[in-house]
């Protein structure tokens, strides 16, 4: 590489410490999903105490999702404007307090309020991760970085069923929210220490291409951004289905006790992490053969979409074990698609607006979840899970069509 003066630049080897920094950030993602998933884990207990229908439970999910979607673009702009470290510390502090307060609610109104604040503040989590991935990793590594962040998501989803259930069985469901909510307050000083140590680390590698105009208005006018938003909303609707309804599905469909259902519910998030790493590795492999970044990631999305089609058969599976396996395949496929969809904005829009570009994807996910959650609840109350799974089987393929 040659600078304007004609002198050759000395290649700078990226510091291995960049993966340590990213790993500490990924812990915040795990806490993010642990906090939000605690309600899904304990939904049978909460619904019983507050006498909620499936439709009312869907409404609570929608309130979270509306706040999540509405606040995500502002969270992205805040991160880009004031910096990752300050913004993420503020966000984690607020969502931790919202999680703790959930344990003190006395009815539907309190649940709705706490979930709204949780959604507002957790909207900063994934945009912050996108900013951290762009800052720390080489272009070809970014899908793997998103896979590592997906592993953080899966860790939160995995820990929620046994952890929250164990606490609830011994101390009551309210204490589960208090304890899981407190973890974020511990993470904030750990991140500040890690981020300070990173100061002076080399910026890893050149850009893969000249990014599209990175002004806010330019981004909002980009048809590529809106295609990504549509693809993400379609694909992540399936993710929303299994992260919010798996425990209830197992309890209602197979008549399992809460503790038994949540042991099965641990399996799909673990497989989702494998799907994320598989999708990230596959795009890296195809990029190394010379395929452009966006083309490689889009090809992975087609593979994932085809793998998701057996989702339609899940209601026909006869046992909880087979059901967990079917859900696992579905969420594996969706995760392989997701890590690539969330990486494409980093490829085409660059670093200056990385958090905002990712935040728009977060907003599309939140908006989709807000729309579909009460619909899922109403359909399940009236007709069961068959129609829901049939539609879900084709949504990742529709997402691929939007990318194309």
């Amino acid at each position: 590489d040659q600078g304007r003066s004609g002198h050759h630049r000395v290649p700078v080897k990226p510091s291995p410490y960049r993966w340590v920094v990213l790993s500490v950030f990924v812990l915040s993602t795990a806490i993010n999903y642990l906090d939000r998933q605690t309600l899904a884990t304990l939904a049978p207990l909460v619904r019983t105490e507050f006498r909620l229908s499936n439709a009312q439970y869907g409404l609570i999910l929608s309130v979270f999702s509306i706040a999540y979607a509405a606040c995500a673009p502002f969270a992205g702009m805040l991160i880009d404007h004031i910096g990752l470290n300050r913004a993420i510390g503020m966000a984690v502090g607020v969502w931790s307090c919202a999680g703790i307060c959930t344990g003190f609610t006395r009815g539907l109104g309190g649940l709705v309020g706490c979930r709204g604040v949780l959604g507002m503040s957790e909207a900063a989590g994934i945009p912050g991760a996108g900013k951290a991935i762009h800052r720390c990793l080489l272009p070809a590594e970014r899908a793997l970085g998103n896979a590592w962040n997906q592993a953080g998501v899966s860790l939160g989803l995995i820990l929620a069923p046994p952890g929250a259930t164990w606490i609830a069985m011994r101390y009551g469901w309210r204490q589960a929210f208090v304890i899981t909510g407190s973890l974020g307050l511990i993470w904030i000083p750990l991140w500040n220490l890690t981020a300070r140590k990173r100061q002076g680390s080399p910026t890893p590698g050149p850009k893969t291409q000249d990014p599209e105009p990175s002004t806010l208005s330019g981004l909002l006018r980009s048809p590529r951004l809106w295609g990504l938003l549509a693809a993400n909303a379609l694909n992540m609707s399936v993710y929303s289905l299994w992260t919010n309804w798996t425990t209830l599905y197992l309890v209602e469909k197979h008549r399992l006790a809460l503790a038994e259902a949540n042991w099965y519910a641990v399996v799909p998030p673990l497989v989702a992490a494998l799907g994320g790493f598989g999708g990230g590795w596959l795009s890296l492999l195809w990029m190394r053969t010379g395929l452009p970044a966006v083309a490689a990631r889009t090809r992975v999305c087609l593979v994932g979409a085809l793998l998701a089609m057996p989702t339609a058969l899940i209601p026909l599976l006869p046992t909880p074990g087979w059901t967990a396996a079917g859900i696992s395949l579905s969420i594996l496929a969706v995760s392989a698609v997701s890590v690539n969809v969330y990486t494409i904005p980093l490829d085409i829009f660059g670093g200056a607006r990385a958090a905002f570009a990712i935040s728009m994807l977060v907003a599309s996910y939140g908006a989709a979840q807000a729309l579909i959650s009460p619909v899922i609840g109403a359909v399940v109350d009236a007709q069961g899970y068959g129609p829901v799974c049939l539609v879900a089987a084709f949504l990742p393929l529709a997402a691929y069509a939007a990318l194309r």
Side-chain angles (χ1 to χ4, degrees), residues 86-97:
R86 283 194 292 171
I88 200 62
M90 292 166 51
V92 175
V94 173
W95 89 51
S96 297
C97 292

Side-chain angles (χ1 to χ4, degrees), residues 292-313:
V294 175
R297 305 196 204 289
T298 305
R299 184 182 291 182
V300 177
C301 292
L302 175 59
V303 174
L306 296 175
L307 282 175
M309 296 189 73
T311 300
L313 304 177

Side-chain angles (χ1 to χ4, degrees), residues 19 133 140-155 157 235-236 239 267-285 296-297 300-301 303-304 307 328-343:
W19 285 101
I133 289 165
E141 298 171 335
R142 288 173 187 160
L144 282 177
N146 267 315
W148 191 229
N149 195 57
Q150 173 64 49
V153 171
S154 296
L155 178 61
L157 298 177
N235 183 65
M236 293 300 286
Y239 194 86
V267 178
L270 179 62
V271 177
L274 298 178
F277 280 111
W281 172 81
L282 198 54
S283 67
L284 175 62
L285 182 66
R297 305 196 204 289
V300 177
C301 292
V303 174
L307 282 175
S328 296
L329 176 61
S330 180
I331 204 169
L332 176 146
V334 169
S335 297
V337 174
S338 176
V339 298
N340 285 280
V341 170
Y342 274 88
T343 305

Side-chain angles (χ1 to χ4, degrees), residues 52-80:
L52 305 176
S53 68
N54 279 317
Q56 288 174 313
Y57 175 66
L59 173 64
I60 295 170
L61 297 179
S62 285
V63 169
F64 171 90
S65 302
I66 290 168
Y68 192 72
C71 293
F74 299 101
M77 286 189 285
L78 183 69
I79 292 167
D80 286 330

Side-chain angles (χ1 to χ4, degrees), residues 26-378:
V26 163
L27 286 177
S28 74
T29 302
I31 294 168
N32 182 317
Y33 275 78
L34 174 63
D35 287 349
R36 75 172 72 176
Q37 197 65 16
T38 298
L39 177 62
T41 297
L42 303 178
L45 298 178
V46 177
R47 281 184 53 200
T48 298
E49 180 165 334
F50 293 152
R51 299 180 180 179
L52 305 176
S53 68
N54 279 317
Q56 288 174 313
Y57 175 66
L59 173 64
I60 295 170
L61 297 179
S62 285
V63 169
F64 171 90
S65 302
I66 290 168
Y68 192 72
C71 293
F74 299 101
M77 286 189 285
L78 183 69
I79 292 167
D80 286 330
H81 182 66
I82 71 171
L84 175 62
N85 296 348
R86 283 194 292 171
I88 200 62
M90 292 166 51
V92 175
V94 173
W95 89 51
S96 297
C97 292
I100 292 169
C101 289
T102 305
F104 297 94
T105 55
R106 288 294 180 267
L108 179 60
L111 277 176
V112 167
C114 288
R115 296 303 284 187
V117 175
L118 190 73
M120 291 170 58
S121 48
E122 288 197 341
I126 300 300
K131 192 81 166 182
I133 289 165
H134 191 278
R135 175 192 294 181
C136 293
L137 301 184
L138 297 166
E141 298 171 335
R142 288 173 187 160
L144 282 177
N146 267 315
W148 191 229
N149 195 57
Q150 173 64 49
V153 171
S154 296
L155 178 61
L157 298 177
I158 289 166
L159 292 178
T165 302
W166 186 88
I167 297 168
M169 293 297 101
R170 283 158 181 77
Y171 307 107
W173 65 264
R174 298 178 182 278
Q175 288 302 313
F177 285 98
V178 173
I179 292 171
T180 56
S182 300
L183 296 177
L185 303 179
I186 300 172
W187 177 85
I188 294 172
L190 173 63
W191 169 252
N192 288 336
L193 177 64
T194 306
R196 278 199 299 270
K197 286 187 176 181
R198 185 189 176 274
Q199 300 301 321
S201 298
T203 300
K207 294 182 176 69
T208 52
Q209 62 183 73
D210 292 329
E212 293 191 0
S214 61
T215 63
L216 187 60
S217 61
L219 274 175
L220 292 175
R221 290 194 303 268
S222 170
R224 302 182 83 181
L225 176 63
W226 292 100
L228 283 163
L229 299 187
N232 191 58
L234 291 163
N235 183 65
M236 293 300 286
S237 292
V238 187
Y239 194 86
S240 174
L241 170 64
W242 298 128
T243 54
N244 289 302
W245 295 88
T246 293
T247 298
L248 280 173
Y249 180 87
L250 291 167
V251 168
E252 294 176 358
K253 174 76 174 180
H254 294 288
R255 300 293 187 264
L256 300 181
L258 175 64
E260 188 179 6
N262 279 326
W263 280 113
Y264 283 107
V266 168
V267 178
L270 179 62
V271 177
L274 298 178
F277 280 111
W281 172 81
L282 198 54
S283 67
L284 175 62
L285 182 66
W286 277 328
M287 286 176 67
R288 285 178 174 171
T289 66
L291 200 63
V294 175
R297 305 196 204 289
T298 305
R299 184 182 291 182
V300 177
C301 292
L302 175 59
V303 174
L306 296 175
L307 282 175
M309 296 189 73
T311 300
L313 304 177
I314 289 174
L316 304 179
L317 299 174
T319 66
W322 278 109
T323 298
I327 293 172
S328 296
L329 176 61
S330 180
I331 204 169
L332 176 146
V334 169
S335 297
V337 174
S338 176
V339 298
N340 285 280
V341 170
Y342 274 88
T343 305
I344 291 174
L346 305 181
D347 297 323
I348 63 178
F349 297 124
R353 292 289 181 181
F356 179 75
I358 298 297
S359 75
M360 291 296 288
L361 297 188
V362 172
S364 72
Y365 169 40
Q369 184 168 258
L371 291 172
I372 68 170
S373 292
V375 174
I376 291 173

